[in-house]
Amino acid sequence: MADPDSAQPVVALRGVGKTFGNGTVALDRLDLTVRAGEFLSILGPSGCGKSTALRLIAGLSAPNRGGVELRGSADGAPPGVGFVFQEPTLMPWARVAGNVALPLELAGLPREQAAPRAAQVLARVGLAGFGDAFPRELSGGMKMRVSIARALVTEPSLLLMDEPFAALDEITRFRLNDDLLTLWQTLRKTVIFVTHSVFESVFLSQRVVVMTARPGRILTELTIDAPYPRDESFRTSPEYGAFCRHASQALREAMAMDEPVMEASAMEAAR
Amino acid sequence: MRPAGVDDDVPMTLGARRFWRAALPVLVLILTLAAWDLVVRLNDIPPYVLPGPLLVWRTLVGDWAVLSGSLAVTLATALEGFALALVGGVGLAILFNQSRLLEYALYPYAVILQVTPVVAIAPLLLIYLPQQAAVLACAWLVAFFPVLANTTLGLNSVDHNLLALFRLYHASHWQLLWRLKLPAAMPYILGGVRIAGGLSLIGAVVAEIAAGSAGAGSGLAYRIAESAYRLNIPRMFAALLLLSVAGVVIFFALSWVSHLLLRRWHESALVSDN
């Protein structure tokens, strides 16, 4: 693993502000730098604008203030971006292979060239042989794997994930967390992972950025200084517990800045 | 009050369920025909008031040469009107989807066309258009709106995350339409199409009736009007029977097409076990 400090920034948000049409201030003066190859989590209460930040980075919406810069690793060209949504977001009328090949076909690649690449990336996420299935025939976890395969099929250098495992049961979630880390270590992509789960953010990331809500701003950041590969033994280690305590503490502070009373919801988020 | 779905409490195998589903309507048909026949016989009702079912059947067979020709004419009109409604409805909905301004400008008039009863428009159309064209216009007019409304609804119901995904990969207008919006709207379009199929037949019949004896047409509804003037009630019944059968056939044919197109993925077409 390259030392993250020495690596080039691939994403730089400088003083970014985003106000929606209805007057809601989603983000206010957000500064964030993401280094090449880094696994970064954005942790925050729901409604803190973390998804909005991710959409700004993806170019799906434009900031009202400040700038979003994307830089490719070597030649300065912007990196390819893969996006994984909260829901699997698959086309129900297309087979799994067709869903995964979609980004390539939209770029004009002929079907016969897109198909082998889709099959390849499906095998990588553990779904070899499922290309002919329809999304409805798959479990929630498998659908999410298809969604990840689709994000990876264009071989982007930057992978943006918007609470991808939030709707899954814990067992499935753990397995997908493990597999995501394996993928990250083999493919060496930059990952920005939005979540409201303390445990997930600590387990996965090198760095956790904690955001406050209304307006969305970065409260603090934690470096999770634990070696990879991380597996079940890390998940049960006292070290992991300590990191989680720090992150929960930070998240509680972030929530306290939002609304003074809601103690129950702060505890819920810290759980 | 018995709770809804109480029939489900009766234990029934899948086979038995299927059998009764097919057998019960047939049983009702037989009982109805028998009662009809009995009423006519017992009261000695003359055929120019109410013909018995057997006489209707004999008329249908005996006048088949005339009636089948009329059926073909009416069906052709209905199908042409339906095809035009399909093309026009889907096409206009796509245009509306591309341009909000166009939708704002024209949609109210599509609604006005729909809510104005076609029976009231038909005589006017018959003045300005040749009869064939007027009948076709009526069939089109009633069938057009369900396709337009449903397609518009479908095109506007695309999952917003899928839209974002297509945007992320810089999909062109055409790609967005062909690969996302139209497939996503397909269940809605087919819902509209099933309604439009039946309505196009109704539109054709209404226009033929409006044209009445003044028209030179030879459709089934014209036969009904003509038979009424001649007090040939058995033939009226036979023509009516043919119209009903045609409507049912159209409905099932379109349901079948819808099933073929959606069976792989859409909830409405998936086989359920209960």
Side-chain angles (χ1 to χ4, degrees), chain B residues 164-206:
Chain B
L165 184 84
F166 272 66
R167 264 217 322 280
L168 185 73
Y169 291 112
H170 310 292
S172 68
H173 255 72
W174 273 116
Q175 286 174 325
L176 203 60
L177 185 64
W178 278 111
R179 306 200 56 141
L180 179 61
K181 286 185 172 176
L182 279 177
M186 198 49 85
Y188 296 86
I189 298 175
L190 290 168
V193 158
R194 269 195 289 184
I195 301 170
L199 283 181
S200 64
L201 185 65
I202 293 176
V205 167
V206 165

Side-chain angles (χ1 to χ4, degrees), chain A residues 204-250:
Chain A
L204 292 172
S205 342
Q206 294 171 303
R207 195 153 63 101
V208 177
V209 165
V210 182
M211 278 182 70
T212 61
R214 278 172 293 258
R217 228 180 267 176
I218 289 173
L219 176 74
T220 181
E221 66 171 68
L222 304 157
T223 304
I224 311 299
D225 196 6
Y228 293 88
R230 295 174 182 173
D231 52 19
E232 209 45 46
S233 62
F234 176 63
R235 208 177 254 130
T236 49
S237 69
E239 202 188 357
Y240 175 68
F243 282 127
C244 287
R245 249 193 320 279
H246 286 308
S248 299
Q249 180 65 38

Side-chain angles (χ1 to χ4, degrees), chain A residues 55 60 92-93 105-106 136, chain B residues 161 167 175 179 183 265 270:
Chain A
R55 282 169 177 263
L60 288 173
W93 55 86
E105 289 177 12
L106 287 180
R136 51 164 286 267
Chain B
N161 277 338
R167 264 217 322 280
Q175 286 174 325
R179 306 200 56 141
W265 65 277
L270 297 177

Side-chain angles (χ1 to χ4, degrees), chain B:
Chain B
M1 285 276 282
R2 280 146 64 96
V6 76
D7 286 348
D8 294 341
D9 297 343
V10 183
M12 215 189 261
T13 63
L14 194 63
R17 203 182 280 274
R18 277 202 188 127
F19 170 76
W20 285 113
R21 224 184 138 172
L24 282 177
V26 174
L27 193 68
V28 169
L29 178 70
I30 291 171
L31 287 177
T32 311
L33 288 177
W36 176 6
D37 194 53
L38 217 59
V39 167
V40 171
R41 275 173 205 275
L42 290 181
N43 297 311
D44 220 2
I45 301 176
Y48 57 83
V49 175
L50 178 65
L54 276 174
L55 180 58
V56 171
W57 177 251
R58 276 201 300 273
T59 311
L60 182 64
V61 175
D63 294 354
W64 181 248
V66 177
L67 289 175
S68 63
S70 299
L71 175 67
V73 169
T74 302
L75 271 185
T77 312
L79 289 182
E80 280 167 35
F82 171 73
L84 289 177
L86 185 61
V87 173
V90 172
L92 198 57
I94 289 173
L95 277 182
F96 283 179
N97 191 260
Q98 306 290 314
S99 158
R100 263 291 138 80
L101 292 179
L102 199 65
E103 180 177 354
Y104 293 160
L106 294 183
Y107 201 80
Y109 299 101
V111 174
I112 290 172
L113 274 185
Q114 166 66 11
V115 296
T116 311
V118 70
V119 201
I121 305 177
L124 273 178
L125 287 176
L126 282 159
I127 294 176
Y128 298 118
L129 295 174
Q131 188 185 326
Q132 262 309 307
V135 173
L136 186 59
C138 283
W140 174 80
L141 210 55
V142 286
F144 161 76
F145 190 76
V147 179
L148 172 70
N150 276 31
T151 308
T152 303
L153 179 66
L155 291 174
N156 289 335
S157 306
V158 179
D159 178 36
H160 64 276
N161 277 338
L162 274 174
L163 278 173
L165 184 84
F166 272 66
R167 264 217 322 280
L168 185 73
Y169 291 112
H170 310 292
S172 68
H173 255 72
W174 273 116
Q175 286 174 325
L176 203 60
L177 185 64
W178 278 111
R179 306 200 56 141
L180 179 61
K181 286 185 172 176
L182 279 177
M186 198 49 85
Y188 296 86
I189 298 175
L190 290 168
V193 158
R194 269 195 289 184
I195 301 170
L199 283 181
S200 64
L201 185 65
I202 293 176
V205 167
V206 165
E208 282 178 14
I209 294 271
S213 56
S218 51
L220 266 185
Y222 171 75
R223 290 287 165 230
I224 290 179
E226 179 199 49
S227 307
Y229 290 126
R230 296 182 183 175
L231 278 184
N232 190 346
I233 310 300
R235 191 189 265 190
M236 281 181 82
F237 269 91
L240 188 59
L241 181 65
L242 275 182
L243 274 178
S244 295
V245 170
V248 169
V249 168
I250 289 174
F251 178 80
F252 276 109
L254 291 175
S255 298
W256 182 68
V257 169
S258 167
H259 177 79
L260 283 187
L261 286 171
L262 299 181
R263 64 187 165 152
R264 295 252 187 225
W265 65 277
H266 198 252
E267 297 295 337
S268 69
L270 297 177
V271 183
S272 94
D273 292 333
N274 48 40

Side-chain angles (χ1 to χ4, degrees), chain A:
Chain A
M1 196 72 32
D3 177 11
D5 286 324
S6 68
Q8 282 237 16
V10 275
V11 178
L13 275 67
R14 291 186 219 287
V16 164
K18 176 77 185 174
T19 308
F20 289 123
N22 59 10
T24 309
V25 181
L27 296 173
D28 186 35
R29 279 174 286 142
L30 184 74
D31 290 296
L32 180 67
T33 311
V34 187
R35 293 172 285 258
E38 187 178 19
F39 199 122
L40 172 89
S41 283
I42 302 177
L43 177 66
S46 38
C48 75
K50 49 196 194 302
S51 295
T52 308
L54 210 59
R55 282 169 177 263
L56 289 177
I57 295 171
L60 288 173
S61 77
N64 302 109
R65 287 177 303 282
V68 178
E69 274 177 58
L70 296 188
R71 258 168 297 180
S73 37
D75 51 359
V81 175
F83 201 103
V84 180
F85 294 87
Q86 219 164 26
E87 288 92 35
T89 313
L90 304 174
M91 303 177 291
W93 55 86
R95 292 173 196 274
V96 164
N99 269 292
V100 174
L102 177 80
L104 298 176
E105 289 177 12
L106 287 180
L109 207 67
R111 193 157 288 188
E112 53 273 19
Q113 282 176 46
R117 281 177 67 180
Q120 224 169 35
V121 74
L122 269 173
R124 214 177 245 302
V125 299
L127 287 180
F130 281 92
D132 282 338
F134 280 89
R136 51 164 286 267
E137 297 164 339
L138 305 181
S139 68
M142 287 159 92
K143 280 184 206 163
M144 202 32 97
R145 284 172 190 273
V146 175
S147 192
I148 293 171
R150 181 181 57 196
L152 292 174
V153 79
T154 54
E155 296 175 13
S157 55
L158 178 61
L159 188 58
L160 306 174
M161 307 182 84
D162 187 6
E163 300 189 33
F165 310 141
L168 301 176
D169 63 88
E170 197 166 66
I171 299 167
T172 311
R173 184 183 247 223
F174 279 2
R175 283 199 54 188
L176 280 164
N177 282 344
D178 291 341
D179 292 353
L180 178 61
L181 277 190
T182 314
L183 272 177
W184 173 66
Q185 284 179 277
T186 33
L187 300 177
R188 308 215 154 215
K189 315 240 174 249
T190 313
V191 180
I192 306 180
F193 190 98
V194 163
T195 180
H196 55 234
S197 161
V198 166
F199 299 133
E200 196 171 51
S201 66
V202 170
F203 181 74
L204 292 172
S205 342
Q206 294 171 303
R207 195 153 63 101
V208 177
V209 165
V210 182
M211 278 182 70
T212 61
R214 278 172 293 258
R217 228 180 267 176
I218 289 173
L219 176 74
T220 181
E221 66 171 68
L222 304 157
T223 304
I224 311 299
D225 196 6
Y228 293 88
R230 295 174 182 173
D231 52 19
E232 209 45 46
S233 62
F234 176 63
R235 208 177 254 130
T236 49
S237 69
E239 202 188 357
Y240 175 68
F243 282 127
C244 287
R245 249 193 320 279
H246 286 308
S248 299
Q249 180 65 38
L251 189 60
R252 253 201 304 280
E253 277 174 42
M255 314 250 337
M257 292 178 71
D258 178 21
E259 276 161 67
V261 257
M262 307 280 278
E263 200 148 18
S265 70
M267 284 172 63
E268 188 183 53
R271 236 193 305 122

